[in-house]
Amino acid sequence: MMPTHSNASPTLDVLFQRILSRQPDGLALLDPLNKQRVTGQPPKRLTFAQADRAISALAAHFIEAGLPANSVIAVQLPNTVEFALTMLAAHRAGLIVAVLPLLWRQAELTVALNRTGARAVVTTSRIDGVVHADIAMNAAAECFSIRHVCGFGDDLPEGMASLDRAIAAESPTRRTVIQDGRKAAMVSFDVTSDGFRAVPRTHLSVIAAGLAISLESDLPQGAAIMSAFAPSSFAGVVASLTIWLLTGGTLALHHPFDHDALEQQINAQGCDTLVAPAQLALRLDELDLSSRLPTLRNVIGLWRTPEQVASSAAWSAEQASLTDVYLFGEAGLFGARRGSDGAAVPIKPGPHGAPRELPGSSIAGEILLTPRGTLGLRGPMVAVAAYAPPPPPPSDSTIAAPPRDYVDTDYSARLDRATGAINITAPPSGVMAVGGYRFLAQDLEGWAKRLGQGALLTALPDRMSGYRLAGRAQDNARVRDALSELGLNPLMVEAFRDRAGAL
């Protein structure tokens, strides 16, 4: 039976089916040109009709595997068409998708799977030479809730079901699923000063964030979008999958990062929109984006380090606009399109519309300065409950704490008295970020102590990614092996790489 639609707001799958009904033969999804190197599989080009058949086949596989409606399916996939197909298939089967960063290894995967009570894991055989299928199987073995492990690609380990075969089989199995935007769509994972958090969001929240970005960027209907941002976070999903479904165009994908492959695919597909880390976008601007990428008209730069936006270089490309998207971990985001002078625009507290400067535009969210001198967010995309502070001990007070309808991002901020704008001055205290990977500073100390006497692991400030890790030990090779055996991510492991010629 096909999914049924309620009178509530649509889901991501409903958005897809609306486009499918209008243009079944339109080009929908394009793999990275270098996918063969990344996963060992040839790149795919799918129309909306072809994608729909694959989505239905994957949804049937999940149903036949015994996954009940509203259960969580954990997904660790690269930026290829398989991610988009899997997420939409999960929604068609009435499941909730937990997105897992590619840097996570067994230790972090186990925590996330147990925290969400995930019933299944989806991965691929290998990504950039790393055998992710084995990592997923080992993590699943430590999680009582996992009932099904499946993957794309060749040479899958025994016990892992092949999703490529599931797509080829095109099973007709269906079940009734009420498509309601108020239902949970995804779970992402954040680290705050209070520790590890699972952050669930509804379809409504995910679509609201996509609208905030696409309207602020003034993306046209039918846009040809190139996404070079990993889809392993709330922002990664919103800035690729959601804006693609809202514009109804083509989504081309690039698994970060190969500069030549990215430039070649943008030009070959005539992409008019680029979604990328903001530092990469500014670097392309320095390299004469106008002449090298003449088809681009919109660039969406995502800032994992929002405190750096105000001091960033001016945007100079005349044929393409730049929209700065401020990311605050998994708490929320907002966008601001740069003006004719190319400088980052001032961010004022209070409600902000989409587009930001258009009178009467729909409210996308609200920015506020908290009593702690930090930046707070609220609005339809903000998962307030996931960040709610723990209740005080009963002995502390007989009066209940007042409810809080916003999320405190812990980013230090202040008001500029002259302009009334909010200046973001520092990232959260005690939380380190290396690109999109966030962890507690105290964790570094804990791991260093476990490595034995003389071992040092520290985080150094880095302009591009926030921080970078550096380690020192008497025997770096032994430490790397020990960290790998503990199931830690490669950022920790490679901090102890041998540095030839180091002083």
Side-chain angles (χ1 to χ4, degrees):
M1 184 178 295
M2 290 299 292
T4 60
H5 300 174
S6 75
N7 293 325
S9 57
T11 64
L12 297 178
D13 187 37
V14 169
L15 294 181
F16 175 85
Q17 292 181 54
R18 288 176 180 175
I19 306 167
L20 172 68
S21 65
R22 295 195 305 266
Q23 49 185 51
D25 297 325
L27 189 58
L29 293 166
L30 294 168
D31 258 329
L33 292 179
N34 58 350
K35 184 182 180 182
Q36 187 76 45
R37 179 193 64 77
V38 176
T39 68
Q41 300 295 304
K44 297 183 177 71
R45 294 169 57 93
L46 300 177
T47 65
F48 281 95
Q50 291 169 332
D52 181 62
R53 287 194 293 272
I55 291 166
S56 291
L58 290 173
H61 175 84
F62 297 146
I63 296 167
E64 291 168 358
L67 300 178
N70 301 315
S71 57
V72 174
I73 179 170
V75 175
Q76 189 179 48
L77 290 171
N79 200 25
T80 60
V81 300
E82 284 79 10
F83 178 86
L85 297 175
T86 300
M87 189 154 193
L88 291 171
H91 293 158
R92 189 168 293 184
L95 306 175
I96 303 163
V97 177
V99 290
L100 305 174
L102 294 184
L103 283 174
W104 282 8
R105 297 297 184 258
Q106 185 173 340
E108 289 152 315
L109 290 178
T110 302
V111 172
L113 295 176
N114 281 322
R115 183 69 62 89
T116 58
R119 293 292 191 98
V121 180
V122 177
T123 187
T124 192
S125 176
R126 62 186 65 244
I127 306 171
D128 283 328
V130 178
V131 184
H132 278 259
D134 286 346
I135 295 171
M137 290 292 285
N138 291 335
E142 297 187 33
C143 301
F144 178 77
S145 63
I146 296 295
R147 294 291 180 269
H148 188 57
V149 184
C150 47
F152 296 94
D154 302 321
D155 301 322
L156 297 177
E158 184 178 354
M160 178 173 284
S162 170
L163 293 180
D164 294 310
R165 293 177 185 171
I167 291 176
E170 292 193 20
S171 169
T173 300
R174 300 285 188 275
R175 71 176 166 207
T176 302
V177 174
I178 297 176
Q179 297 284 358
D180 187 340
R182 296 167 297 186
K183 297 175 63 176
M186 64 173 288
V187 181
S188 57
F189 301 93
D190 203 355
V191 173
T192 70
S193 57
D194 293 324
F196 183 83
R197 293 179 185 270
V199 185
R201 277 190 169 85
T202 64
H203 290 267
L204 175 63
S205 293
V206 177
I207 293 172
L211 282 170
I213 294 176
S214 59
L215 292 175
E216 179 65 23
S217 306
D218 195 23
L219 297 187
Q221 286 296 299
I225 301 167
M226 164 58 72
S227 173
F229 198 88
S232 54
S233 64
F234 171 59
V237 171
V238 165
S240 57
L241 187 72
T242 309
I243 65 172
W244 163 58
L245 295 174
L246 289 170
T247 58
T250 302
L251 179 61
L253 301 165
H254 175 77
H255 181 71
F257 178 70
D258 183 322
H259 183 278
D260 292 337
L262 174 66
E263 188 170 313
Q264 181 183 353
Q265 190 168 4
I266 290 174
N267 287 327
Q269 301 302 326
C271 295
D272 53 55
T273 301
L274 170 65
V275 178
Q279 290 91 342
L280 168 61
L282 291 171
R283 179 58 178 160
L284 292 174
D285 189 36
E286 291 177 7
L287 298 174
D288 193 10
L289 177 144
S290 298
S291 62
R292 299 171 69 96
L293 303 170
T295 62
L296 282 185
R297 294 295 178 266
N298 305 281
V299 177
I300 299 172
L302 279 66
W303 290 91
R304 294 191 181 103
T305 52
E307 70 276 9
Q308 296 181 6
V309 181
S311 60
S312 63
W315 182 255
S316 62
E318 294 184 358
Q319 102 277 4
S321 65
L322 172 65
T323 299
D324 295 309
V325 178
Y326 296 65
L327 309 182
F328 300 92
E330 298 300 298
L333 56 85
F334 58 80
R337 189 177 185 181
R338 296 201 177 190
S340 57
D341 62 355
V345 302
I347 300 299
K348 301 290 185 68
H352 57 92
R356 177 174 294 272
E357 299 300 329
L358 183 65
S361 60
S362 299
I363 300 301
E366 185 175 356
I367 303 164
L368 59 140
L369 192 64
T370 75
R372 297 176 53 233
T374 53
L375 187 131
L377 298 175
R378 61 182 159 207
M381 78 177 74
V382 180
V384 174
Y387 290 86
S395 59
D396 282 4
S397 175
T398 58
I399 302 175
R404 196 170 74 183
D405 62 346
Y406 65 90
V407 168
D408 188 340
T409 68
D410 287 332
Y411 278 79
S412 298
R414 62 178 178 83
L415 281 179
D416 187 306
R417 293 183 179 180
T419 65
I422 285 185
N423 293 328
I424 305 169
T425 57
S429 176
V431 178
M432 303 293 181
V434 180
Y437 176 69
R438 288 159 66 96
F439 55 93
L440 293 175
Q442 65 189 34
D443 289 347
L444 291 183
E445 301 173 6
W447 291 118
K449 289 178 181 178
R450 295 181 63 174
L451 296 175
Q453 187 175 5
L456 173 68
L457 180 60
T458 187
L460 304 175
D462 183 85
R463 176 71 181 175
M464 293 293 289
S465 60
Y467 288 90
R468 57 186 173 87
L469 297 183
R472 185 181 64 189
Q474 294 178 352
D475 187 343
N476 281 347
R478 183 190 66 80
V479 170
R480 288 198 301 271
D481 291 342
L483 291 175
S484 296
E485 290 177 4
L486 288 170
L488 296 185
N489 71 74
L491 289 176
M492 298 276 190
V493 177
E494 290 305 308
F496 290 92
R497 66 186 182 276
D498 294 319
R499 294 169 175 82
L503 296 178

